[in-house]
Amino acid sequence: MPRATLSLQIPEQVWVSALSKQYPDAEFTVLAAMPADDTGVGLVEITAEDIEPIVRTIDGYDTVVSVTILEAQADRALVQFETTEPLLIRSLSEAGIPLELPITIVDGEVTLELTAPREKLSELGTLLDQFGIPFDLLSITQSIDTQSLLTDEQYDLLETAIESGYYDTPRTCTLTELADAVGLAKSTTSEKLHRAEGKVIKEFVAGGDGNLE
């Protein structure tokens, strides 16, 4: 399943974006977030040299329904909030993609790590555009559960091949040396390795690489 890394510019009308831009050296780490009817509830840890003015500012935003300070120190505060504009949570929820926490917002920007089918990632891209949330796709990788895809014998063979340097460049382990390591004939090792490699490659290609553009 594709895993994407996105960098998002949170719209300025969202209070946490405006707040983080007002205090660009502060870090706002969202530890928990969930939709609640027409609002969103979250738990954020704020880290800065001077916390007091930041915490005072939060309650002044019209879109912030409630603020509860759970813990406060000179350079750190734990705050629970409810907002009427949970755009990020809403867009992920409508795309059917879970929000992987924690995420850290600095100066209006946040980096997300998302794992979802490629059609869901594509749908998310459309929703982010609709909500006016600019984003950049930093990377995308295809994750494969090789342990469930392969038999135990195939998995052990691939694992041994990797550890022995069979796939290194330049190769530091020959097929003959690999066969000796697993106690099989060279021809048998070659056949089993080819079958295992074929399964992994087909799964990777079938999964696609996703597209948010």
Side-chain angles (χ1 to χ4, degrees):
M1 185 176 294
R3 182 171 181 80
T5 302
L6 282 73
S7 175
L8 278 71
Q9 288 277 352
I10 303 177
E12 290 188 4
Q13 67 267 28
V14 179
W15 69 272
V16 71
S17 176
L19 183 63
S20 67
K21 288 182 177 180
Q22 184 176 347
Y23 300 94
D25 295 329
E27 291 187 358
F28 301 81
T29 301
V30 181
L31 304 176
M34 61 177 291
D37 296 326
D38 294 328
T39 63
V41 177
L43 183 67
V44 62
E45 181 183 58
I46 306 170
T47 305
E49 290 186 2
D50 189 4
I51 285 293
E52 186 177 351
I54 299 177
V55 173
R56 285 202 310 266
T57 304
I58 296 176
D59 204 29
Y61 291 102
D62 293 336
T63 54
V64 177
V65 177
S66 65
V67 178
T68 303
I69 301 173
L70 303 178
E71 183 181 327
Q73 301 174 10
D75 59 354
R76 176 184 171 276
L78 191 61
V79 178
Q80 181 175 307
F81 63 89
E82 183 175 1
T83 176
T84 57
E85 288 190 348
L87 294 185
L88 186 55
I89 302 174
R90 189 181 304 160
S91 58
L92 289 170
S93 178
E94 290 188 15
I97 300 175
L99 178 61
E100 298 182 27
L101 298 172
I103 59 173
T104 300
I105 301 166
V106 177
D107 197 15
E109 295 186 11
V110 60
T111 299
L112 297 180
E113 298 281 348
L114 304 172
T115 302
R118 56 181 175 176
E119 63 271 13
K120 293 292 186 181
L121 292 174
S122 180
E123 183 178 348
L124 174 61
T126 301
L127 288 170
L128 290 176
D129 286 336
Q130 290 177 354
F131 283 123
I133 303 178
F135 67 91
D136 290 317
L137 179 60
L138 301 181
S139 67
I140 190 162
T141 57
Q142 176 74 16
S143 61
I144 301 174
D145 185 0
T146 53
Q147 285 188 293
S148 62
L149 179 68
L150 305 173
T151 65
D152 290 342
E153 184 180 30
Q154 289 173 327
Y155 183 85
D156 291 342
L157 178 57
L158 276 181
E159 187 175 45
T160 301
I162 293 170
E163 292 174 351
S164 300
Y166 183 76
Y167 293 108
D168 290 352
T169 304
R171 182 170 288 174
T172 58
C173 172
T174 65
L175 182 60
T176 300
E177 291 170 336
L178 178 61
D180 290 341
V182 296
L184 296 172
K186 181 178 177 180
S187 59
T188 303
T189 302
S190 177
E191 180 183 355
K192 290 182 179 295
L193 199 60
H194 181 72
R195 289 180 182 274
E197 291 169 342
K199 284 186 177 182
V200 173
I201 292 171
K202 288 177 181 178
E203 177 68 16
F204 181 86
V205 174
D209 60 359
N211 185 10
L212 282 175
E213 298 179 354

